[in-house]
């Protein structure tokens, strides 16, 4: 396999820039789709909710690892989500220093609609991309993440 190396760096041709820009546009569109449907949930909050929909009652540390964020930002994010009654923090029975995060009834009721809006966003982002190219893209993105861990 031949690797193409360019002599001059050009930001617009950089895979990092393209990934960052595409990610930012997707996050903005998801936020927009939530707002247009009267949900005051951000992309960051959606990440936490999605992980809790997969497995409720995770610790803050587990959530931080699963969404690849630092402890301080997760703590602030969860504090805001508690204020908005999306999650609740429950101390561990055996070790009060460990806090588990649980969905509230309100957030459980929102699950289907939020999932629908997330899928709509993905559909908007992948419009005019055939299934094979999308599968290739996702596989390559997974490999980039693995390479950089």
């Amino acid at each position: 396999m031949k690797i193409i190396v360019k002599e001059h760096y050009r930001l617009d041709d950089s895979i990092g820039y393209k990934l960052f820009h595409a990610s930012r546009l997707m996050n903005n569109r998801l936020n927009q789709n939530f707002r247009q449907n009267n949900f005051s949930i951000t992309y960051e909050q959606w990440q936490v909710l999605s992980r809790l929909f997969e497995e409720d009652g995770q610790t803050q540390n587990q959530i931080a690892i699963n969404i690849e964020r630092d402890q301080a930002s997760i703590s602030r994010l969860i504090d805001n989500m508690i204020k908005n009654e999306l999650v609740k923090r429950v101390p561990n029975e055996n070790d009060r220093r460990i806090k588990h995060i649980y969905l509230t009834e309100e957030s459980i009721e929102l699950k289907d609609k939020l999932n629908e809006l997330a899928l709509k966003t993905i559909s908007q982002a992948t419009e005019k991309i055939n299934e094979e190219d999308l599968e290739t893209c996702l596989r390559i993105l997974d490999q980039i993440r693995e390479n950089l861990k």
Side-chain angles (χ1 to χ4, degrees):
M1 180 167 125
K2 183 179 179 183
I3 298 176
I4 299 172
V5 178
K6 296 184 179 187
E7 290 185 29
H8 301 290
Y9 177 83
R10 222 175 90 74
L11 182 63
D12 288 337
D13 295 334
S14 162
I15 189 169
Y17 179 76
K18 289 177 184 267
L19 287 171
F20 170 78
H21 194 69
S23 175
R24 188 170 51 81
L25 289 170
M26 282 198 66
N27 296 347
N28 289 344
R29 179 60 61 93
L30 181 64
N31 288 338
Q32 178 185 26
N33 285 337
F34 285 156
R35 275 193 315 275
Q36 286 176 345
N37 287 272
N38 300 314
F39 295 110
S40 59
I41 293 175
T42 65
Y43 166 74
E44 291 80 11
Q45 292 172 337
W46 171 242
Q47 285 183 301
V48 172
L49 290 174
S50 291
R51 293 301 183 188
L52 291 174
F53 290 147
E54 293 169 5
E55 181 186 347
D56 202 10
Q58 295 179 57
T59 65
Q60 282 187 198
N61 188 48
Q62 287 172 308
I63 294 169
I65 291 167
N66 287 334
I67 65 172
E68 300 174 9
R69 299 285 173 114
D70 63 89
Q71 282 289 340
S73 65
I74 287 299
S75 183
R76 286 189 304 271
L77 183 57
I78 289 173
D79 286 344
N80 286 333
M81 293 177 75
I82 289 169
K83 288 178 192 168
N84 293 327
E85 300 180 351
L86 294 170
V87 297
K88 56 189 171 188
R89 191 181 276 127
V90 178
N92 182 287
E93 293 176 3
N94 300 320
D95 186 344
R96 308 286 290 171
R97 295 171 297 174
I98 298 173
K99 308 288 190 239
H100 294 272
I101 308 303
Y102 289 93
L103 297 163
T104 61
E105 289 298 318
E106 292 85 350
S107 61
I108 292 169
E109 290 175 13
L110 298 176
K111 180 183 177 180
D112 290 340
K113 186 61 179 169
L114 295 176
N115 276 327
E116 180 183 314
L117 293 170
L119 290 171
K120 174 183 177 180
T121 304
I122 292 168
S123 178
Q124 291 169 331
T126 59
E127 187 178 350
K128 299 180 185 174
I129 300 174
N130 70 48
E131 191 173 329
E132 184 179 317
D133 286 345
L134 183 57
E135 287 174 10
T136 299
C137 177
L138 293 173
R139 194 172 56 256
I140 291 169
L141 291 173
D142 285 341
Q143 185 60 58
I144 289 171
R145 291 178 67 204
E146 186 63 31
N147 291 347
L148 298 175
K149 279 187 180 178

